Every structure is written in structure tokens, then in C-alpha cells.
Amino acid sequence: GENVEQHPSTLSVQEGDSAVIKCTYSDSASNYFPWYKQELGKRPQLIIDIRSNVGEKKDQRIAVTLNKTAKHFSLHITETQPEDSAVYFCAASWGGGNEKLTFGTGTRLTIIP
Amino acid sequence: NAGVTQTPKFQVLKTGQSMTLQCAQDMNHNSMYWYRQDPGMGLRLIYYSASEGTTDKGEVPNGYNVSRLNKREFSLRLESAAPSQTSVYFCASSKRGQASYEQYFGPGTRLTVT
């Protein structure tokens, strides 16, 4: 089955700086890569996703890049703000009609004011 | 719309007791999922249901059973709880077969087994 590794497990950045979280996946058939954000005590929520026919996708301060050859994808957050403090999870899926996701182990991002 | 709802929010069980976690969604989604979340382990899939009437095992199904009661409801049962099942359980749903595969999560159930 699919295996997703996520690094780093914790990350602290100064407010206004950029944060980068990286994930690698094992199954070359995977074609859908979402990122979820989970605030303390809350449920995970989708913040951005990318499909294998696209190399990069941006949504305001958040971007995701995908390198299918190397089987890794990354989340980039620019101009970080205190409300970006949360745990971020990457995931991968081969689709196939059932949208079964394999999640990474998460990155706890702390924004230092 | 309430989205995905779960009951109960909290539960404490003794080893060997049984219980059922309830999940319901009002978004007319086809697929539903049960995950457990443990510190440092991310979200691990227990069981999922791609459509009404079907269920399949995920990564960590041992010790659990599920029932897809109808399109809206998907329950998770622990027949004989063990301390290793102490965790936060999330139910999720998604609209199968569409361009977006976003999964919508419920608020979670915090289960402690003593």
C-alpha cells in the first residue's frame, strides 16, 4: 500500500517568514495530494490540493508543488501569521473512485510573534 | 447544513466493554470513512464505505466493525474495548466521483479505555 512520510514533525518560524513542509510518497500510481490543517482541538480541514497533471498550485499565501519523478510534494506558506499555527497533514491517494487517503504523520507549525 | 456530526463527543470505557460511535452526514455524500488519530501517528484509516451497502477495511481494522446503515449514517463498533483503542476517532465523508475529492470531517470522539 501507499506510504507517506512527512518532515519536519515540528517547525517554528518568525511571523512574516515562510514555512515549508515536505512529504514523500511511495506509490507511483498516486495522483491526488491534499493538505489538511488541524487547529488545536478541532477537526482537520482541507486547505489546498493538487493533482498529478499539475506541478504547482497557489491560493493566496499557500502553495503546493509536486515532483512526480521524485515522488515528493511540498506545502509553502508565505508571510506567516499567528493564525497559521496548527498541525498540517499531507496525504496521497491513487483515486480509483474511492478517494482513500493515506496521511502523513503531521507537522506542528508554530508562528512566533 | 450540519455537515458531519458524531456522537458522543467523549467516552470512557472499561476494558472489555463495547460501544458504538455514531456518524451522520447531510451533504448527500457517497463515501464515508472512520479514522483514528494518535499522537505522532497522523490519521489512520480504520474502515471506509465507498457507497451505501459496501464497506472495506483500511489500515487498522482489527478490533472494530462498521455498519453503513443508509446513505447518511456510518457507525463504528468496538466489541471488546482495549486500552490500545484509546484515541480520537474522526468520521469523514466525501462526494465520490466528482472533480474534488475533499473529505469533510466530523468534530471527533475522544475515547479513553481504562
Side-chain angles (χ1 to χ4, degrees):
Chain A
E2 175 67 278
N3 182 50
V4 177
E5 294 190 357
Q6 183 172 348
H7 299 281
S9 57
T10 60
L11 179 62
S12 296
V13 300
Q14 291 290 140
E15 183 178 351
D17 287 349
S18 296
V20 180
I21 302 170
K22 298 180 180 180
C23 289
T24 60
Y25 62 98
S26 61
D27 190 345
S28 56
S30 290
N31 59 9
Y32 174 64
F33 307 93
W35 286 87
Y36 283 78
K37 176 183 180 182
Q38 186 179 27
E39 297 177 355
L40 189 62
K42 301 289 181 63
R43 71 192 79 187
Q45 291 188 295
L46 180 73
I47 55 171
I48 196 167
D49 56 14
I50 192 167
R51 298 186 188 285
S52 60
N53 58 346
V54 175
E56 182 176 2
K57 184 177 178 180
K58 289 185 73 172
D59 182 3
Q60 299 182 355
R61 296 185 298 107
I62 293 173
V64 57
T65 57
L66 171 65
N67 183 327
K68 281 216 76 181
T69 303
K71 289 192 280 187
H72 66 72
F73 57 111
S74 300
L75 177 71
H76 304 254
I77 306 174
T78 59
E79 301 172 16
T80 53
Q81 300 170 3
E83 54 264 36
D84 295 328
S85 292
V87 178
Y88 292 81
F89 292 98
C90 62
S93 170
W94 66 276
N98 64 19
E99 300 93 55
K100 191 171 69 164
L101 293 174
T102 300
F103 283 86
T105 50
T107 296
R108 181 174 299 280
L109 175 63
T110 302
I111 307 303
I112 304 165
Chain B
N1 283 357
V4 180
T5 57
Q6 292 181 234
T7 56
K9 285 188 167 54
F10 301 93
Q11 184 70 49
V12 179
L13 291 178
K14 289 185 174 10
T15 298
Q17 287 185 320
S18 62
M19 78 161 295
T20 300
L21 281 64
Q22 306 286 355
C23 174
Q25 51 90 12
D26 61 2
M27 296 175 283
N28 200 35
H29 284 170
N30 293 301
S31 299
M32 297 186 75
Y33 312 82
W34 276 106
Y35 293 92
R36 60 177 289 173
Q37 184 175 34
D38 304 293
M41 301 289 286
L43 291 149
R44 292 184 292 169
L45 184 65
I46 304 171
Y47 271 93
Y48 66 101
S49 172
S51 61
E52 186 179 353
T54 68
T55 62
D56 210 343
K57 294 178 181 179
E59 183 185 352
V60 289
N62 290 348
Y64 306 94
N65 284 300
V66 291
S67 294
R68 183 75 182 266
L69 304 169
N70 47 56
K71 191 171 186 180
R72 291 187 63 247
E73 298 172 289
F74 188 37
S75 63
L76 177 73
R77 183 161 179 83
L78 287 69
E79 289 291 352
S80 178
S84 61
Q85 295 178 304
T86 293
S87 188
V88 179
Y89 291 85
F90 286 99
C91 176
S93 69
S94 68
K95 195 170 187 179
R96 184 184 178 199
Q98 301 297 310
S100 170
Y101 294 153
E102 179 174 1
Q103 291 194 9
Y104 295 83
F105 285 80
T109 295
R110 186 173 294 275
L111 175 66
T112 302
V113 183
T114 62

